[in-house]
Amino acid sequence: MPDSASSPLPVLLPDALDDVEHETVTYPPGATILAEGESSDEVVLIAEGTAKVFAGASNHDLARVSAGDVIGEVSALAGGNRTATVTAETEVVCHHFTGDAFRILLDSDPAFAAAVMARAAHRLERRHMLAFLERMFGHLDGPVIADFEKAMEWLNLRAGETLFRRGETADAGYFLISGRLLESGPDIDGDMTVVREIARDQIVGEIGLFRGEARETTVVAGRDSRIVRIDLERFLLLANRHPAVLVPVVAGLAMRKPPSRQTNRQRTISLCVTAEVDSRLFASRLVDEIGALGSTGHLWAARVDAMLGRSGVAQATHGAPGDARVAELIHEQELDHTYLVCEAERTATEWTTRVARQADWAVAVIDPEPDEKAKDTIGRFFGAAAPQSTRVVVVLHPSHTERPTNTRATVQTWEPDHILHVRNASASDLGRVSRILSGHATALVLSGGGARGFAHIGVWRAMHELGIPIDLVAGSSMGSPLGAGIAVDYPIEQFTEYVHDLYTGVVDYTIPVVSLAKGEQLTRSIQTSLGDWDFEDLWRPFFCMSTNITQATEVVHDSGDLARAVRASVSIPGVYPPVAFGEDLHVDGGVLNNLPGDIMRKRNPTATIIGVDVAPPSGPRARVDDPALSVSGWKALRSAASKNRNEHPGIAAMLMRTMITASVRQRKRSVDRGDFDLYLDLDLRGISLLDFDSALQVAPLGYDAALPRLEAWLSERNGN
């Protein structure tokens, strides 16, 4: 694309021209003044005559420049190679300046400098437009480009601002030149959720170019974005003159699917490392890990300076000559890679602020106990990030660390979206972080189902043997304590025995005034295994569900006291007493959401989610053809004592099955909606729901049931 283009902004010859060293050269028609691809800090001011600007292998005739125009100033002041060839159309007289001399000229004439900078900004904007048109439509000749320029309206959208809202009349289409847009629409339950991330070089709202119907979605800027708007009337005129422009728009509509779950993983990750490690080495290791998942670029301030050939250009302030060129370089790197990692500095520099604002994911890497200087740097880094960006804190621990502690107090002022823990030099920990940051995480969601939940141990073992990583975990009811065990990274080889010892005898029956069981043994078991953990300290991110019976709502627990949340999640109504949170009472998460894949999907739209459902496929059945309409407890007790078949199921089993039945509808919606990439519904008939002494027997059943299905799923994914 050209260093120069025709512009409505006039530049007059500066008054101080004769006071600044320069060389005057006269070029005959056809002579080359500047050549595309060359590296030079020379700036040319045209004094007389007209020149033509060409770019690309096909030498597109892109513009004409004449007396008063400056060419080459973008490359000279901001770095980078020439992006166009300029040849004399008539005899042309030019004044040639070195980059340093031209800066003196700018400093001596503020009005001239302002005009030059305005023209440079216009040229960079036009360069982006021309590059976009070429990527979108292929080769276009001069008249088509000119008509596009007349039809386009440029928009700058700050992060968090709305492009259009659901229900508004569709009267225009939009082309995203740079940045990121988030499209939200109603899900199956009618709740507004992000259904698509719109990346650069995509069209949004194009249906408005054909008919004026109401918008079905709302689109907001995920970060600062540059957008071209074309209204219906202008687009129809453009299409009438140049029908070929309809092809990519119509093709986009034809290929467009109804809003569904987000699958785009393209993103820019900005990394601010304050931990006491070699930040370049850590960033490079992370880039290598992400690079195994997709094309990954890596930028830091010194590398930007080197790529543009100008020392200090990465620190250009807003409006300075290098500002637009650095932004353009980042944009070019985003075009060339699926992922771009921008490495910030340890202090609040212009480069650090720039990459924070550029981030889709703003990632801070800290020591377990950061000092005040590090906290201030991270606070400024997150403060500069776009409101819609995802904030992540990665805590880097010594390699021998057994468990994180006190993380909540350290990070709570930043309110991060994710907290990740890494042991230094741990390839598995860094791999997990890279998968989460790049959108390739594998999430395991575990259901309730009483003692059948011990089958989750076998599923974990099967996944481990097959090399399927677990990066994120969630659970409800009995899936909660077992999921928490995975999240604390308990050794898998010892986990079955450990769970057996903890949960044997946890149903401590009592006089059933509040509940059938006292809950003391269950509480003691959970406290023994999880009592001094906070969610924020877990090696793997984890959440669990409970049901607030005071407010009649489902509750997601992901912060603070882990043991209390897990205890609430397994509080089978009527079997165990509820757990108080303030004035509200919480019971088992399985009442409203026994398999929270919907929550995991909303939080991690691009993750691979495996759901393990051990709940019985159907509820209790009558044991005789015509059971009585009333029940004698004494008769039922005699039947149990004599081992005769009782007409009715026991009260504990009835409560457990009734609870699970209540959330069957929600589970079906989640499965039908596609929240799970793999849904493992395990048939575990014959296992009593309240036989919590059976871990050693049930765990192998889960392994045997899950292994062949996991193998088949892996084979299908790998194309075998």
Side-chain angles (χ1 to χ4, degrees):
M1 295 302 107
D3 269 0
S4 182
S6 58
S7 168
L9 302 170
V11 174
L12 302 177
L13 296 180
D15 295 334
L17 178 63
D18 294 334
D19 298 329
V20 178
E21 183 179 354
H22 65 277
E23 179 184 4
T24 302
V25 180
T26 300
Y27 294 90
T32 299
I33 302 173
L34 297 177
E36 182 176 1
E38 68 182 3
S39 177
S40 173
D41 72 344
E42 192 173 50
V43 182
V44 178
L45 174 61
I46 297 179
E48 300 176 14
T50 303
K52 298 174 67 175
V53 182
F54 300 88
S58 56
N59 283 331
H60 294 172
D61 184 357
L62 297 175
R64 281 171 171 76
V65 289
S66 56
D69 276 313
V70 176
I71 52 178
E73 82 285 6
V74 175
S75 296
L77 298 179
N81 294 336
R82 305 286 189 205
T83 56
T85 295
V86 182
T87 61
E89 185 174 38
T90 66
E91 184 177 84
V92 178
V93 178
C94 297
H95 302 304
H96 289 251
F97 299 83
T98 65
D100 289 340
F102 193 69
R103 290 184 185 88
I104 294 172
L105 186 63
L106 293 178
D107 291 341
S108 66
D109 192 332
F112 174 70
V116 169
M117 292 303 102
R119 287 173 72 94
H122 173 80
R123 289 168 182 170
L124 286 172
E125 182 178 88
R126 189 171 189 271
R127 182 187 303 177
H128 286 159
M129 182 271 292
L130 293 171
F132 166 77
L133 292 178
E134 187 169 341
R135 291 190 300 270
M136 179 69 68
F137 301 99
H139 170 68
L140 296 176
D141 57 24
V144 182
I145 293 174
D147 286 345
F148 255 109
E149 286 193 274
K150 293 176 184 176
M152 289 179 169
E153 176 187 355
W154 286 87
L155 303 177
N156 284 315
L157 213 61
R158 300 286 286 178
E161 290 185 338
T162 301
L163 182 62
F164 56 75
R165 298 182 184 278
R166 185 169 185 258
E168 293 179 348
T169 300
D171 60 353
Y174 301 88
F175 300 82
L176 180 59
I177 308 300
S178 63
R180 188 84 79 243
L181 301 176
L182 304 177
E183 184 176 17
S184 299
D187 62 15
I188 194 171
D189 298 318
D191 298 326
M192 293 293 289
T193 187
V194 174
V195 297
R196 184 165 68 117
E197 283 188 13
I198 302 161
R200 53 195 176 265
D201 290 353
Q202 292 189 33
I203 307 173
V204 61
E206 65 269 34
I207 196 169
L209 296 174
F210 296 94
R211 59 181 187 269
E213 295 183 352
R215 302 283 190 192
E216 296 181 352
T217 57
T218 295
V219 174
V220 301
R223 69 167 191 241
D224 293 356
S225 300
R226 192 76 170 126
I227 300 163
V228 163
R229 179 183 186 273
I230 301 183
D231 65 27
L232 177 59
E233 181 179 356
R234 291 177 179 177
F235 181 79
L236 292 177
L237 289 173
L238 187 63
N240 184 54
R241 295 191 63 180
H242 311 287
V245 304
L246 285 170
V247 174
V249 179
V250 174
L253 282 173
M255 297 174 62
R256 187 80 167 272
K257 297 178 180 179
S260 59
R261 72 177 178 89
Q262 169 63 24
T263 57
N264 176 55
R265 294 186 172 102
Q266 191 176 58
R267 61 188 56 167
T268 294
I269 301 164
S270 293
L271 193 67
C272 184
V273 180
T274 64
E276 291 300 319
V277 294
D278 184 329
S279 59
R280 183 66 34 72
L281 178 61
F282 180 87
S284 297
R285 288 174 57 204
L286 183 64
V287 167
D288 289 343
E289 290 283 345
I290 297 176
L293 304 170
S295 173
T296 306
H298 183 193
L299 291 178
W300 59 93
R303 188 176 188 202
V304 169
D305 290 352
M307 292 175 74
L308 294 179
R310 294 292 179 273
S311 177
V313 70
Q315 307 296 347
T317 57
H318 179 70
D323 178 28
R325 189 65 188 95
V326 173
E328 183 182 38
L329 174 62
I330 294 175
H331 175 66
E332 291 167 352
Q333 290 292 303
E334 288 180 325
L335 290 176
D336 290 341
H337 300 96
T338 303
Y339 309 105
L340 178 63
V341 176
C342 294
E343 186 182 336
E345 296 175 302
R346 292 179 182 266
T347 55
T349 64
E350 291 292 335
W351 170 252
T352 296
T353 300
R354 179 187 295 275
V355 299
R357 284 209 61 80
Q358 188 72 13
D360 298 309
W361 284 50
V363 182
V365 182
I366 67 171
D367 286 317
E369 297 181 3
D371 58 26
E372 291 305 314
K373 181 180 179 181
K375 289 180 179 179
D376 180 68
T377 297
I378 299 305
R380 292 174 181 270
F381 176 69
F382 282 147
Q388 304 296 320
S389 66
T390 301
R391 289 163 169 75
V392 182
V393 172
V394 176
V395 186
L396 187 60
H397 301 270
S399 57
H400 61 273
T401 302
E402 292 185 4
R403 54 158 296 178
T405 58
N406 203 36
T407 308
R408 186 184 186 195
T410 301
V411 307
Q412 62 183 351
T413 57
W414 302 323
E415 298 182 346
D417 299 289
H418 300 277
I419 301 168
L420 308 177
H421 294 276
V422 178
R423 284 159 285 216
N424 197 15
S426 169
S428 62
D429 287 354
L430 192 63
R432 178 171 61 252
V433 170
S434 70
R435 288 189 295 272
I436 292 173
L437 296 184
S438 64
H440 287 84
T442 298
L444 182 63
V445 181
L446 305 178
S447 81
R452 298 185 184 201
F454 294 132
H456 295 318
I457 304 171
V459 176
W460 180 20
R461 179 183 151 208
M463 293 177 66
H464 179 75
E465 291 182 1
L466 294 173
I468 303 173
I470 300 174
D471 303 310
L472 309 163
V473 192
S476 189
S477 192
M478 193 58 185
S480 294
L482 297 175
I486 297 173
V488 302
D489 206 23
Y490 199 86
I492 189 171
E493 300 81 8
Q494 307 166 28
F495 196 51
T496 304
E497 292 281 354
Y498 180 69
V499 170
H500 172 74
D501 293 342
L502 280 174
Y503 289 94
T504 296
V506 294
V507 184
D508 45 359
Y509 289 103
T510 186
I511 299 173
V513 177
V514 175
S515 58
L516 293 176
K518 292 186 289 185
E520 287 182 1
Q521 185 59 42
L522 176 65
T523 300
R524 187 178 301 114
S525 295
I526 293 173
Q527 285 290 341
T528 298
S529 57
L530 307 172
D532 56 351
W533 284 85
D534 282 340
F535 280 91
E536 292 83 354
D537 294 328
L538 296 170
W539 288 111
R540 292 178 176 90
F542 169 73
F543 69 83
C544 65
M545 308 297 297
S546 72
T547 302
N548 184 327
I549 56 174
T550 306
Q551 306 292 335
T553 57
E554 67 179 34
V555 177
V556 180
H557 298 273
D558 59 4
S559 179
D561 189 341
L562 176 64
R564 191 172 190 84
V566 169
R567 172 64 181 82
S569 187
V570 296
S571 294
I572 305 168
V575 176
Y576 290 111
V579 175
F581 285 82
E583 296 183 351
D584 292 352
L585 295 176
H586 290 228
V587 297
D588 199 295
V591 172
L592 293 180
N593 197 337
N594 197 49
L595 186 66
D598 57 331
I599 307 297
M600 183 65 81
R601 178 59 70 197
K602 287 179 180 178
R603 291 180 166 212
N604 303 277
T606 65
T608 297
I609 299 180
I610 299 173
V612 185
D613 191 356
V614 298
S618 59
R621 300 177 183 275
R623 295 179 179 176
V624 296
D625 291 338
D626 187 17
L629 298 181
S630 60
V631 178
S632 166
W634 293 109
K635 180 180 177 182
L637 184 61
R638 286 195 299 270
S639 295
S642 63
K643 299 184 180 180
N644 292 329
R645 187 175 185 181
N646 201 334
E647 296 179 0
H648 298 271
I651 184 172
M654 177 66 78
L655 289 170
M656 181 73 189
R657 288 177 178 268
T658 301
M659 179 200 76
I660 294 173
T661 301
S663 63
V664 166
R665 224 170 133 191
Q666 182 279 335
R667 177 188 63 192
K668 185 178 185 304
R669 283 201 308 270
S670 187
V671 172
D672 292 346
R673 185 169 52 226
D675 290 335
F676 301 101
D677 295 277
L678 176 62
Y679 173 61
L680 296 175
D681 50 339
L682 305 187
D683 187 353
L684 298 167
R685 280 174 289 190
I687 305 299
S688 171
L689 294 176
L690 294 179
D691 185 7
F692 291 108
D693 300 348
S694 63
L696 298 179
Q697 293 75 43
V698 178
L701 297 178
Y703 175 87
D704 293 339
L707 183 64
R709 294 177 65 180
L710 287 166
E711 288 176 328
W713 176 69
L714 277 180
S715 179
E716 183 179 351
R717 289 185 77 196
N718 296 332
N720 298 330

